[in-house]
Amino acid sequence: MPLEYFLALAAILFVIGAYGVLTKRNAIVVLMSIELMLNAANINFVAFSSFYNDVKGQIFALFSIAVAAAEVAVGLAILLALSKARDTINLDEINLLRW
Amino acid sequence: MEWDLLFFLIFAIITVAAAVFVIASKEIVHSVMYLALTFIGVAIIFFFLSAEYVAIIQILIYVGAVSVLMLFGIMLTKRRLTGGERI
């Protein structure tokens, strides 16, 4: 299979995740869309590492998975504290850090 | 058509359709279920790229940990189920 198929799949997943980040109002759905975009980046890493016979890409993908897991844990902790303090997780109503 | 290309297309279409349903689904718990299906599809794509270790780690961390963490986040935050807008 050519490399372009995997790159096209990763691009489609990334565009879906970016659309979800830009349009959704629920903060948890935004976190899920961020996970979709990180998965698209991982597909790119592993595809290039497989097609160039270099294992460094897979190591980068493992680091990326670990960072993504830590990121979703911290993000959900912030959302729980926010929903306890402000009683909402709708991103339109959260303008505490507005400039 | 080669068999591996056929299976790749099948799993790629399943993955993309599940990702679309994550965004399009009205009920947020269904969104998490489709997200787990997307992660499994990505892990199968990793198997096609002969990266078995990354695929197994993907299933362990994403399907096992991140999805459950998302479910806990949904259950512990307030969402409008009846009345108002359902997001």
Side-chain angles (χ1 to χ4, degrees):
Chain A
M1 272 180 291
L3 175 62
E4 284 81 13
Y5 289 174
F6 296 98
L7 298 188
L9 173 67
I12 291 170
L13 276 182
F14 190 88
V15 167
I16 292 170
Y19 176 79
V21 167
L22 290 179
T23 60
K24 286 297 177 180
R25 297 276 71 86
N26 195 328
I28 294 181
V29 181
V30 172
L31 272 181
M32 286 192 242
S33 304
I34 290 173
E35 293 298 315
L36 279 181
M37 292 160 69
L38 284 166
N39 262 300
N42 281 341
I43 290 177
N44 264 349
F45 271 132
V46 178
F48 278 111
S49 113
S50 167
F51 275 83
Y52 287 108
N53 286 322
D54 191 353
V55 81
K56 279 181 233 165
Q58 296 189 20
I59 297 171
F60 268 111
L62 287 174
F63 272 97
S64 168
I65 287 173
V67 172
E71 174 253 339
V72 70
V74 173
L76 281 174
I78 290 174
L79 283 185
L80 290 190
L82 194 62
S83 98
K84 195 181 286 282
R86 300 289 299 268
D87 207 25
T88 180
I89 53 167
N90 192 343
L91 289 181
D92 282 337
E93 304 171 15
I94 300 168
N95 48 8
L96 185 65
L97 285 179
R98 66 186 179 275
W99 50 281
Chain B
M1 177 183 284
E2 304 98 359
W3 283 104
D4 55 346
L5 181 61
L6 177 66
F7 280 111
F8 170 75
L9 285 180
I10 288 173
F11 286 116
I13 287 171
I14 288 174
T15 307
V16 171
V20 168
F21 279 131
V22 169
I23 305 299
S25 153
K26 288 290 180 193
E27 187 68 37
I28 188 168
V29 180
H30 298 172
S31 243
V32 178
M33 295 304 162
Y34 284 120
L35 189 72
L37 182 59
T38 309
F39 289 156
I40 294 172
V42 172
I44 293 171
I45 298 298
F46 286 162
F47 272 112
F48 276 99
L49 288 165
S50 68
E52 293 88 4
Y53 184 70
V54 182
I56 291 170
I57 292 296
Q58 163 102 4
I59 288 180
L60 274 178
I61 292 182
Y62 275 103
V63 185
V66 172
S67 303
V68 178
L69 211 55
M70 288 279 183
L71 272 180
F72 269 105
I74 290 166
M75 300 298 175
L76 290 177
T77 55
K78 183 176 292 182
R79 60 203 165 106
R80 301 193 184 97
L81 268 185
T82 59
E85 45 168 358
R86 296 174 64 184
I87 301 174

